[in-house]
Amino acid sequence: MKRLFLLLTAGLLALTVSATDITYKADDVTVFPNPERGFTDQLGGDVALSDSKNHVVKPEEEWYWDEEDENYPDRKNQSLVMLMYYLKNYKTKDLSDKILTGFDEDMQILRNHGFKCVLRFAYDWSSKTDASLTWAKRHIEQLKPHLESNKDVIFALEAGFVGRWGEWYYSSNYGNETQELTPDRRTILQSLISACPSGRFLLVRYPLIKLSYLGDEIPLDSAQAYSSSARARIGHHNDAFLNAWGNDGTYGRNGDGPDDDPILRNYIAQETLYVPNGGETNVEQNSLASIVAKYDTTMAELRRYHWTFCGSQYAEEVTDKWRTNGAFAEMERVLGYRFQLVTASLPDSAQVGSSMPVQICLRNTGCAPLYNERPAYIVLRNEKDTFRLQLASDPRRWAPNHALTTIDETLTLPDEVPAGTYNLYLYLPDASDKLAADPRYAVRFANEGTWDSITGMNILNASLTVVPAAGEGIDLQKTAPQVHKVLRNGHLLIRKGDAFYTTQGVKLL
């Protein structure tokens, strides 16, 4: 059968672009996992030379990673795990090759299960005995290449190594019961900043550590954010959330000032728009009454200090109370970021090689931004082809606490896109090539009916018909339905011989 082959004339190719306006329905109820945020459970222990003890994850591989268990009822909604490596057996010697290999294997298990980690190394959990500066520096240097090669599944590195639990307070080698940044502590911090994987944050236990290291009390701002400077890379973790005495010294001045300094609180509130903050609660009986009195302020504190992750178990007096008063379910939804599509204006049609205006309004109802670099794409997809157009908008700057962000950009439709009709998606995959194709590491928006769990893309409820560039041939028999659907009302002329016709077949010239 003969095929009718027509040319689109260049001179009369001015396509009147129309757009579809969409309003999306928010989902403020569903709890679901999203990368690099949320509640965490903890895996940890002493690592040793024996094959059975050179991991902290592998012995727990059947750990109910993605299902509900009576001991870990919230695991199915988690994407982060807190990993604690205690180097108790290596205080005066090199880390063994088996330990380093075991660490790499642990990181692979995280990939297998779609998790990332908040990571800390320490020397003891039962005493303040830590390693000397010489040995700690050596261990950090040994770990450095392994941290870099596994950074895809490391959300953040906590500045451990000093003191009991690696929390920089009770220490036998670096000054006991102090937050003071002594010369040796400063050296450890410098080593950790150097070893922390590129593009990842190093979290310190007390804001005073960062202030002392930088020599000022100026919070990180938008202009300085996301650079390679120490100011932009040092974040925070608070392992005494809601406790008395300024969260157990978190906001204290190390004995030289108030236990709970509003200046330090304001510092954390401002700069955690650009560096992560998280941790866990703790409780002491003599402060329990004070903590209980603060349950109603839990959400306000999470939002003010932009909490991204929080321990789900410790301390049970607190987390159990959250479960009974409804705070826990709300925290599951809003820890970290929670993006929602609000409205969009998207073109119905576009010509290959031409501009394509895109406008999307979104809201972040979570407590915090998305801190690690991540691309955002408009995706064109049909049964045969998929094309990604990267947006200039940086998801790290989609501000939290119900702030609205408008993406208003003009994209160029690549020349290689075949004519046809495509469904449109918004896609935020992981930035790492190791994880980019895994939908478990893509960001899900909190809307009704927009999540495609197979692809990890968010459905925009719009379609785009692509037409060829000027002067290109069209197999009308194959494309006429799409051409007629989009190029209606005479917006584009078709040339046949020396005559021009509208798509309705009316001869004009």
Side-chain angles (χ1 to χ4, degrees), residues 28 34-39 155 226 241 268-279 297-310 322 327-340 363-371 395-403 446:
D28 295 316
N34 244 336
E36 302 184 338
R37 57 153 300 279
F39 275 114
F155 166 63
Y226 312 122
F241 179 52
I268 294 296
Q270 290 185 59
E271 77 160 25
T272 50
L273 279 169
Y274 311 107
V275 293
N277 187 28
T297 70
T298 297
M299 294 310 304
E301 297 240 343
L302 288 177
R303 288 193 178 279
R304 183 184 181 195
Y305 304 116
H306 307 110
W307 274 62
T308 284
F309 65 94
C310 184
W322 285 341
F328 195 92
E330 177 67 6
M331 292 168 71
E332 282 189 298
R333 286 188 288 269
V334 304
L335 275 167
Y337 60 89
R338 186 178 173 97
F339 299 140
Q340 293 178 336
R363 177 184 288 114
N364 182 356
T365 64
C367 298
L370 191 161
Y371 294 101
R396 295 175 296 183
R397 295 187 181 274
W398 299 351
N401 293 328
H402 300 279

Side-chain angles (χ1 to χ4, degrees), residues 210-500:
K210 181 173 181 177
L211 270 59
S212 300
Y213 185 77
L214 296 176
D216 62 53
E217 299 192 4
I218 304 170
L220 179 71
D221 62 23
S222 176
Q224 301 165 318
Y226 312 122
S227 73
S228 60
S229 71
R231 187 182 299 276
R233 296 188 67 209
I234 298 176
H236 306 275
H237 71 98
N238 175 357
D239 286 6
F241 179 52
L242 294 182
N243 210 339
W245 311 298
N247 286 193
D248 215 8
T250 300
Y251 300 111
R253 287 283 181 174
N254 200 38
D256 297 328
D259 291 334
D260 197 338
D261 190 341
I263 294 175
L264 292 181
R265 283 186 175 270
N266 191 54
Y267 178 91
I268 294 296
Q270 290 185 59
E271 77 160 25
T272 50
L273 279 169
Y274 311 107
V275 293
N277 187 28
E280 64 184 13
T281 71
N282 70 7
V283 64
E284 298 177 15
Q285 285 303 315
N286 57 0
S287 63
L288 182 57
S290 174
I291 294 173
V292 171
K294 289 187 175 182
Y295 280 125
D296 291 340
T297 70
T298 297
M299 294 310 304
E301 297 240 343
L302 288 177
R303 288 193 178 279
R304 183 184 181 195
Y305 304 116
H306 307 110
W307 274 62
T308 284
F309 65 94
C310 184
S312 67
Q313 299 294 326
Y314 184 77
E316 291 82 354
E317 290 88 343
V318 179
T319 57
D320 288 349
K321 180 67 175 180
W322 285 341
R323 295 175 196 277
T324 59
N325 73 359
F328 195 92
E330 177 67 6
M331 292 168 71
E332 282 189 298
R333 286 188 288 269
V334 304
L335 275 167
Y337 60 89
R338 186 178 173 97
F339 299 140
Q340 293 178 336
L341 294 163
V342 180
T343 60
S345 181
L346 302 168
D348 294 321
S349 59
Q351 186 180 27
V352 170
S354 68
S355 60
M356 187 177 88
V358 169
Q359 188 176 84
I360 299 173
C361 179
L362 59 89
R363 177 184 288 114
N364 182 356
T365 64
C367 298
L370 191 161
Y371 294 101
N372 289 333
E373 185 176 9
R374 180 176 290 262
Y377 298 98
I378 296 295
V379 176
L380 287 64
R381 188 168 185 263
N382 60 20
E383 62 277 4
K384 293 192 297 184
D385 296 301
T386 299
F387 296 91
R388 300 189 304 185
L389 309 181
Q390 186 166 358
L391 295 164
S393 184
D394 187 343
R396 295 175 296 183
R397 295 187 181 274
W398 299 351
N401 293 328
H402 300 279
L404 293 173
T405 296
T406 298
I407 299 170
D408 193 352
E409 300 185 23
T410 300
L411 306 176
T412 300
L413 197 61
D415 292 338
E416 64 267 21
V417 179
T421 299
Y422 297 82
N423 293 319
L424 297 180
Y425 302 80
L426 181 60
Y427 184 36
L428 276 68
D430 197 274
S432 169
D433 290 341
K434 296 179 183 178
L435 307 178
D438 191 331
R440 296 173 300 180
Y441 290 101
V443 171
R444 174 178 174 177
F445 279 58
N447 292 92
E448 293 187 10
T450 58
W451 179 240
D452 185 335
S453 61
I454 303 300
T455 64
M457 299 181 192
N458 298 279
I459 303 165
L460 290 173
N461 296 331
S463 62
L464 175 78
T465 297
V466 174
V467 296
E472 289 187 9
I474 297 180
D475 185 338
L476 189 62
Q477 188 166 342
K478 290 176 64 177
T479 62
Q482 291 92 339
V483 170
H484 192 275
K485 176 182 176 183
V486 176
L487 308 180
R488 54 193 179 274
N489 302 324
H491 292 157
L492 180 63
L493 302 183
I494 293 178
R495 179 174 182 172
K496 184 179 179 182
D498 294 325
F500 293 93

Side-chain angles (χ1 to χ4, degrees), residues 27 31 46 66 98 122 140 179 208 239 301 397-399 404 456 460:
D27 179 352
V31 176
D46 298 337
D66 53 5
K98 286 196 174 189
I140 294 169
Q179 299 173 30
L208 207 58
D239 286 6
E301 297 240 343
R397 295 187 181 274
W398 299 351
L404 293 173
L460 290 173

Side-chain angles (χ1 to χ4, degrees), residues 17-57:
V17 177
S18 60
T20 297
D21 297 327
I22 310 113
T23 299
Y24 301 94
K25 189 170 183 179
D27 179 352
D28 295 316
V29 176
T30 305
V31 176
F32 52 83
N34 244 336
E36 302 184 338
R37 57 153 300 279
F39 275 114
T40 62
D41 288 324
Q42 182 172 306
L43 284 176
D46 298 337
V47 289
L49 185 59
S50 67
D51 290 338
S52 62
K53 290 291 291 180
N54 64 342
H55 309 76
V56 300
V57 178

